Amino acid sequence: MRLSKTKGKRQRMKFTQTITGNKRIKPLLESKKTEIFLVAVILLTAIFVRAYHFGAPPIGVHQDEAMAAVDAKALAEYGTDRYGMRYPVHFTAWKHSQMSVFLSYCMVPFIKILGFSTVTIRLPLLITSCLGLLALYLFTRQLAGKWTAMIALLFGTICPWHYMQSRWSIDCNMFPHMFLFAVCFLLAGLHRIEGKKWNRIFLYVSMVFFGLCCYCYAVSDYSVPIFLLAVAIYLLKTKQINWKELLGCIAVYAVIVLPEYLSMLITVLGRETIETPLFTIPSFQDSVRGEDVLFANFSWYQLKENLVCMIETVFFGRDQAVPSAVAKFGPVYYVTDIFFLIGLITVIWSLNKKKLPEKYKTPVFILFAWMGLTVIIGAITRYPVLHRINIAFYPVIILAAVGMAACIQKWKITAIPIAALYGVLGVMFAATYFGEWADLSRIYYYEPYLNALDYAHTIECDEYYIDPDPLGEGEYMVGQILTMYSHQIDAHYFQGVSNVQDGREQLPYAEKYHFEYVTEDTIRENQGKDVVYLVNYELIDLFDEEEYDITSFYNNYYVVEPYTKEKVEY
């Protein structure tokens, strides 16, 4: 941390000497060109390791990922979601539970230009995450200097949470990046340039990004405004903005978030969907998402459970769901908890000693306000598992970097074991991710089921009977959405507007695709019909091998077809 203008300069010089051990090359390391070069090298390394074998792992496609992709495909082709709603500000998604739209809108240009594939639907988060690393450096630099920012950037490059979320697509993972972009623009707008005010425009740009957070993940609807209120009070009190600028920021933010809040309001009031010339503000009368918010059914017990879940998820790896984490490493490596505490104590100590110049207090205040926002989300959101509390991890990375820098400044020799420790952890994580975890991801990203669907799609037939619930948890829409993804179902065909699918006339969607468990009666009724079945291992014994051609996929799912069926290419 910078304790004063002169002392902070001495500390940065000491830190440079710690890294090099040679005072003669200090001017080279302190130069702007060297800083840009080092940041560029680290960022390019981060991009390379994230793009390595991009598309798999994870092997397969997650159901929420498929949902976002199918709606993005419909938007790219018709300007509607798959149900036919014109440019919605919130997706109907699973009907009983909805989905944020921002990620899908980001997928649209990639689908238009590169086509529909697992790689193209995952590109938006890859690109956004890499930009997030740059923003991480810029914010940490404002907070603690460039060498601490370098540590944060290096740590972010190998951080399991940051790495894993960059390689697949789920709507909520856009939230922490967009929030960080907003914070960086806010600080850029607050930076005073003598005799010039052009950079104040960044204050309003930051409001655009804060507003877009509402379309990344719904938890921002009730958390970001509280954060902005706290920051606004602080900035007014310290005279860094005036009332005119504040009202301008409120106006920009209000314009951006108004459609999302109107959707929430008409849902609560039971009003009808609002259609405008540009977009649709939907009302979700069948939604159960309100149950995810503590206010809907408040209890002190649930509040305690939420806070415990938040702490255990962020620091102790409570959420070990395969799509979210590699259990043996946790979201940020378990040893990082120690450096986080050191960093937190360092920042608090600096504030208590009142040795931070005013201009450096603002990034610190924003960081603490960000942590307060995290606690609000953790307290209000029912059981904040990893993807629900993902907003916490950038502050954890930053404070851990501050802790590492503090240790290195205090005991120079610790630079070597810290670097060695995280180097080994990074290599071990990579080996596990591309090895053991990759194989495990096949199950949780439905690779056997998707392979069976892909194969079934090559068979010419009139009707499909498809296992509706690959989760085995009573979620019958999962099978349908994965089928729509695999077979690239046209939105108009799904809606019944057209009977054209795969470039030719077909039976209507509702008649061609049957999502149900097959029984002996089903097979008997379909004797002689042009039918293909996709069933799980529990039902395969219903079929006579002398009458049906049976293809196995990991002995988990089977595609069953009458003999002499014709294969087609798509």
Side-chain angles (χ1 to χ4, degrees):
M1 296 300 299
R2 298 179 181 176
L3 302 181
S4 69
K5 189 170 182 179
T6 55
K7 189 171 182 179
K9 190 172 183 179
R10 288 199 304 272
Q11 286 182 330
R12 292 195 300 277
M13 293 168 65
K14 285 173 63 180
F15 188 72
T16 301
Q17 294 169 20
T18 299
I19 298 296
T20 64
N22 189 332
K23 297 180 181 180
R24 288 177 296 179
I25 64 172
K26 179 180 65 178
L28 176 64
L29 287 175
E30 289 292 336
S31 74
K32 195 71 174 178
K33 289 182 179 180
T34 301
E35 178 185 5
I36 294 172
F37 173 77
L38 291 175
V39 171
V41 168
I42 298 171
L43 280 175
L44 288 172
T45 302
I47 293 169
F48 173 78
V49 298
R50 280 158 175 73
Y52 178 74
H53 280 279
F54 187 68
I59 303 171
V61 175
H62 190 269
Q63 69 265 26
D64 288 331
E65 185 175 34
M67 177 78 74
V70 167
D71 279 327
K73 180 176 180 291
L75 286 167
E77 294 173 347
Y78 302 111
T80 71
D81 67 3
R82 70 183 188 280
Y83 294 109
M85 185 179 291
R86 185 172 178 274
Y87 294 115
V89 301
H90 212 96
F91 283 140
T92 304
W94 305 99
K95 292 187 177 181
H96 62 281
S97 64
Q98 288 66 57
M99 180 179 285
S100 300
V101 299
F102 186 74
L103 175 60
S104 292
Y105 281 105
C106 290
M107 290 179 184
V108 169
F110 293 97
I111 292 173
K112 280 181 172 289
I113 296 170
L114 302 174
F116 186 80
S117 70
T118 302
V119 170
T120 55
I121 68 167
R122 289 177 174 174
L123 277 174
L125 256 168
L126 172 67
I127 294 170
T128 304
S129 297
C130 291
L131 291 173
L133 287 174
L134 176 59
L136 172 66
Y137 175 82
L138 295 173
F139 180 38
T140 310
R141 195 184 193 286
Q142 291 290 314
L143 186 100
K146 69 178 180 183
W147 293 112
T148 302
M150 291 280 185
I151 294 173
L153 182 56
L154 284 166
F155 180 38
T157 297
I158 63 169
C159 173
W161 164 75
H162 198 281
Y163 185 84
M164 292 182 71
Q165 58 81 40
S166 71
R167 290 179 58 90
W168 69 293
S169 287
I170 186 171
D171 58 328
C172 56
N173 280 340
M174 276 287 190
F175 177 33
H177 306 303
M178 299 303 291
F179 190 86
L180 178 58
F181 298 156
V183 165
C184 287
F185 279 117
L186 178 62
L187 288 173
L190 293 172
H191 183 64
R192 298 284 182 180
I193 302 177
E194 189 173 350
K196 298 180 181 179
K197 293 186 177 181
W198 61 267
N199 67 303
R200 303 299 276 183
I201 191 69
F202 290 124
L203 293 175
Y204 310 109
V205 174
S206 75
M207 293 302 111
V208 173
F209 280 88
F210 281 124
L212 289 175
C213 288
C214 290
Y215 302 97
C216 295
Y217 197 28
V219 298
S220 62
D221 292 352
Y222 52 79
S223 57
V224 171
I226 299 174
F227 168 86
L228 290 176
L229 176 62
V231 171
I233 293 171
Y234 173 82
L235 295 178
L236 282 173
K237 184 178 179 181
T238 55
K239 298 181 180 180
Q240 296 186 62
I241 61 171
N242 55 45
W243 280 101
K244 183 179 177 180
E245 290 170 331
L246 176 61
L247 291 174
C249 287
I250 292 173
V252 172
Y253 180 75
V255 168
I256 299 296
V257 303
L258 182 61
E260 170 72 4
Y261 282 93
L262 281 176
S263 179
M264 293 172 56
L265 181 63
I266 62 177
T267 296
V268 172
L269 297 178
R271 302 295 176 84
E272 295 296 320
T273 291
I274 300 172
E275 294 186 11
T276 76
L278 299 178
F279 49 81
T280 304
I281 303 172
S283 177
F284 303 111
Q285 298 308 306
D286 298 326
S287 176
V288 297
R289 276 303 185 196
E291 297 175 5
D292 292 338
V293 182
L294 183 66
F295 294 146
N297 189 18
F298 181 83
S299 75
W300 290 107
Y301 172 79
Q302 188 61 54
L303 176 61
K304 183 203 76 172
E305 287 293 299
N306 290 350
L307 291 172
V308 169
C309 181
M310 175 192 67
I311 294 170
E312 291 183 348
T313 296
V314 174
F315 297 108
F316 304 109
R318 170 171 172 166
D319 184 1
Q320 298 187 358
V322 170
S324 301
V326 177
K328 66 175 68 173
F329 296 100
V332 292
Y333 303 115
Y334 297 114
V335 69
T336 301
D337 295 351
I338 297 171
F339 292 111
F340 170 82
L341 286 175
I342 294 172
L344 182 62
I345 292 169
T346 300
V347 175
I348 294 173
W349 182 86
S350 299
L351 288 172
N352 286 341
K353 292 296 182 179
K354 297 182 179 179
K355 294 186 177 181
L356 280 177
E358 284 296 325
K359 66 177 181 178
Y360 299 129
K361 288 182 179 179
T362 299
V364 172
F365 179 86
I366 289 174
L367 179 67
F368 277 94
W370 188 336
M371 293 170 67
L373 171 144
T374 300
V375 173
I376 290 169
I377 293 174
I380 295 176
T381 308
R382 184 178 179 86
Y383 294 114
V385 291
L386 197 145
H387 68 275
R388 292 183 173 181
I389 201 65
N390 54 19
I391 194 67
F393 294 110
Y394 272 128
V396 170
I397 291 170
I398 292 168
L399 284 173
V402 171
M404 293 178 207
C407 289
I408 294 170
Q409 287 181 356
K410 183 71 174 177
W411 303 285
K412 298 178 180 60
I413 192 65
T414 59
I416 296 173
I418 289 173
L421 172 65
Y422 279 96
V424 170
L425 285 173
V427 171
M428 290 174 62
F429 168 73
T432 303
Y433 180 82
F434 286 97
E436 177 186 335
W437 186 88
D439 288 336
L440 197 58
S441 73
R442 297 176 187 273
I443 299 171
Y444 292 89
Y445 286 81
Y446 307 104
E447 195 216 11
Y449 189 82
L450 287 165
N451 285 351
L453 283 170
D454 291 344
Y455 178 75
H457 193 212
T458 68
I459 305 171
E460 183 72 48
C461 66
D462 290 334
E463 299 178 53
Y464 290 107
Y465 281 78
I466 299 174
D467 184 319
D469 182 22
L471 279 173
E473 298 178 356
E475 294 289 345
Y476 297 123
M477 285 190 69
V478 173
Q480 183 185 76
I481 199 63
L482 291 176
T483 300
M484 294 186 71
Y485 178 86
S486 171
H487 290 201
Q488 297 189 29
I489 299 295
D490 183 87
H492 281 180
Y493 180 61
F494 173 71
Q495 297 160 25
V497 173
S498 167
N499 287 336
V500 176
Q501 170 66 22
D502 297 324
R504 64 185 187 278
E505 286 281 336
Q506 308 261 13
L507 285 175
Y509 174 84
E511 296 179 25
K512 185 176 181 69
Y513 286 90
H514 306 272
F515 296 94
E516 60 184 68
Y517 290 112
V518 173
T519 65
E520 291 181 351
D521 290 338
T522 307
I523 299 170
R524 190 180 306 111
E525 291 170 3
N526 287 323
Q527 285 288 347
K529 293 183 179 180
D530 205 4
V531 174
V532 169
Y533 302 93
L534 192 161
V535 299
N536 63 41
Y537 66 93
E538 295 177 339
L539 300 177
I540 193 59
D541 291 338
L542 294 174
F543 297 92
D544 187 343
E545 293 184 8
E546 295 183 1
E547 297 182 31
Y548 295 94
D549 184 4
I550 301 174
T551 304
S552 172
F553 295 88
Y554 296 92
N555 295 320
N556 197 354
Y557 290 98
Y558 298 82
V559 173
V560 182
E561 52 180 313
Y563 278 115
T564 71
K565 291 298 300 170
E566 180 183 352
K567 303 293 189 300
V568 293
E569 294 291 336
Y570 292 103

